[in-house]
Amino acid sequence: MQRLPGVGPKTAQRLALHIIKRPETEVEALAQALMAAKKQIGLCKECFHLSAEPICEICRNPNRDTRTICVVGDSRDVIALEKTREFKGKYHVLGGVISPIDGIGPEQLNIQPLVRRVSQLQPKEVILAISPSIEGETTTLYIGQLLKPFTKVTRIAFGLPVGGDLEYADEITLARALEGRRELE
Amino acid sequence: MQRLPGVGPKTAQRLALHIIKRPETEVEALAQALMAAKKQIGLCKECFHLSAEPICEICRNPNRDTRTICVVGDSRDVIALEKTREFKGKYHVLGGVISPIDGIGPEQLNIQPLVRRVSQLQPKEVILAISPSIEGETTTLYIGQLLKPFTKVTRIAFGLPVGGDLEYADEITLARALEGRRELE
């Protein structure tokens, strides 16, 4: 249990004791649900988002705009972006970001399939929505260079979070917010 | 002491007891420093930033670009922006944001002087760098409408803070980051 994310020794003990106290049928149901999830949930063959089917719900949806592909690091980012209800295109999940220190190079990520997909589908725009860490930046620039011959490549904006306060923003964010200013409509 | 920001009853007591224990000369020096600060520090006549002189250091500096004016809510925001070393123009401090609930309308802020300054100086650009709260948004849009006849009006970018994670960004910030995307250079 301790190996689960966010679960330390104390929580692990609490969880284990809780499970021991429950009736056997309930524990069996949980065990089977875990096995079923592990067996059924794979990656979408097109976009590499988590999916119970070979092709995920988003890729199967005929109402989604195929002319825009949004590239993210992780399936969690797809979920976060879907919650905004702003994006109507398709996704491509890299499965991580380039991080030489962790031994993750471009080959370990779904970058080749992305290039193939872009060269085949010829979307109007590829939006890079990769978290702005140092590794994320590297990944954004790397993929940008690869895709620019095929299509327009954009990246999500840096700046102040909505509801944030100028005074509490770090200097780099503030500098980026200033640099990325836009004309008022 | 309790009326100072961030000072509750306990801290106030600690501060008071500390001061009582110090030698009289030291306490007198503190009292005089407070009085001196209160007497000497006023607002710059041009930009309304805190200043010991009638015209503040930034407005007096001949190396600052007079063709760009950055409008902020508070003197603290000037200090935050100066730390980035990105902005070389001049500032204009509103002294707050429009907040009808607190009885603060445009008349209570340094908006009229701003319009006068812009119409006289005719800067190339006015950057609105007001914190993105609801009141801040109202203020940004209000001032934008007022200044647009005179000059180009821009606003700082919304989006993910640098080093932030897509997954933890709130939905509105994420939607704004997506909306404000820029083409990769």
Side-chain angles (χ1 to χ4, degrees), chain A residues 46-112:
Chain A
E46 282 187 14
C47 75
F48 300 92
H49 183 34
L50 292 174
S51 171
E53 312 281 330
I55 305 293
C56 77
E57 223 173 300
I58 297 171
C59 285
R60 281 202 314 266
N61 186 341
N63 296 325
R64 305 283 308 211
D65 181 3
T66 52
R67 290 165 306 172
T68 323
I69 296 179
C70 180
V71 177
V72 297
D74 199 284
S75 267
R76 283 173 301 189
D77 301 331
V78 173
I79 297 167
L81 284 163
E82 282 298 282
K83 276 191 198 149
T84 70
R85 297 164 183 273
E86 280 289 314
F87 182 66
K88 305 290 177 213
K90 305 236 169 172
Y91 292 95
H92 190 92
V93 179
L94 295 175
V97 288
I98 296 173
S99 174
I101 229 169
D102 301 316
I104 303 177
E107 325 72 57
Q108 272 80 45
L109 304 172
N110 305 318
I111 292 180
Q112 269 313 314

Side-chain angles (χ1 to χ4, degrees), chain A residues 68 70 72-73 76-78 80-81 83-84 86-87 125 127-133 140-141 143-145 148 152-185, chain B residues 68 70 72 76-78 80-81 83-84 86-87 125 127-133 140-141 143-145 148 151-185:
Chain A
T68 323
C70 180
V72 297
R76 283 173 301 189
D77 301 331
V78 173
L81 284 163
K83 276 191 198 149
T84 70
E86 280 289 314
F87 182 66
E125 180 180 355
I127 304 170
L128 302 179
I130 297 166
S131 292
S133 60
T140 296
L141 296 176
I143 296 181
Q145 293 306 322
K148 254 189 261 173
K152 177 179 167 192
V153 183
T154 59
R155 59 175 307 161
I156 53 168
F158 289 118
L160 288 188
V162 175
D165 197 313
L166 225 75
E167 197 198 340
Y168 299 121
D170 64 285
E171 287 150 34
I172 307 177
T173 297
L174 214 46
R176 290 288 199 112
L178 208 54
E179 184 193 314
R181 65 184 181 270
R182 312 179 82 190
E183 194 155 350
L184 214 69
E185 276 147 30
Chain B
T68 323
C70 180
V72 297
R76 284 173 300 189
D77 301 332
V78 173
L81 284 163
K83 277 193 198 147
T84 69
E86 280 290 314
F87 181 65
E125 180 180 356
I127 304 170
L128 303 179
I130 297 166
S131 293
S133 61
T140 295
L141 297 175
I143 296 181
Q145 293 306 323
K148 255 190 261 171
T151 181
K152 179 180 167 191
V153 184
T154 60
R155 58 175 307 162
I156 53 169
F158 289 118
L160 288 189
V162 175
D165 197 315
L166 226 75
E167 197 199 339
Y168 300 120
D170 64 284
E171 287 149 36
I172 306 178
T173 297
L174 214 47
R176 289 291 196 109
L178 208 55
E179 183 194 315
R181 66 185 181 271
R182 312 179 83 191
E183 195 155 352
L184 213 67
E185 276 144 33

Side-chain angles (χ1 to χ4, degrees), chain A residues 19 24-39:
Chain A
I19 286 170
E24 199 176 326
T25 50
E26 213 175 276
V27 177
E28 203 168 304
L30 174 63
Q32 273 175 3
L34 292 175
M35 290 297 294
K38 176 65 197 158
K39 256 189 219 152

Side-chain angles (χ1 to χ4, degrees), chain A residues 118-129:
Chain A
V118 168
S119 64
Q120 282 167 5
L121 286 181
Q122 304 206 310
K124 266 174 59 185
E125 180 180 355
V126 172
I127 304 170
L128 302 179

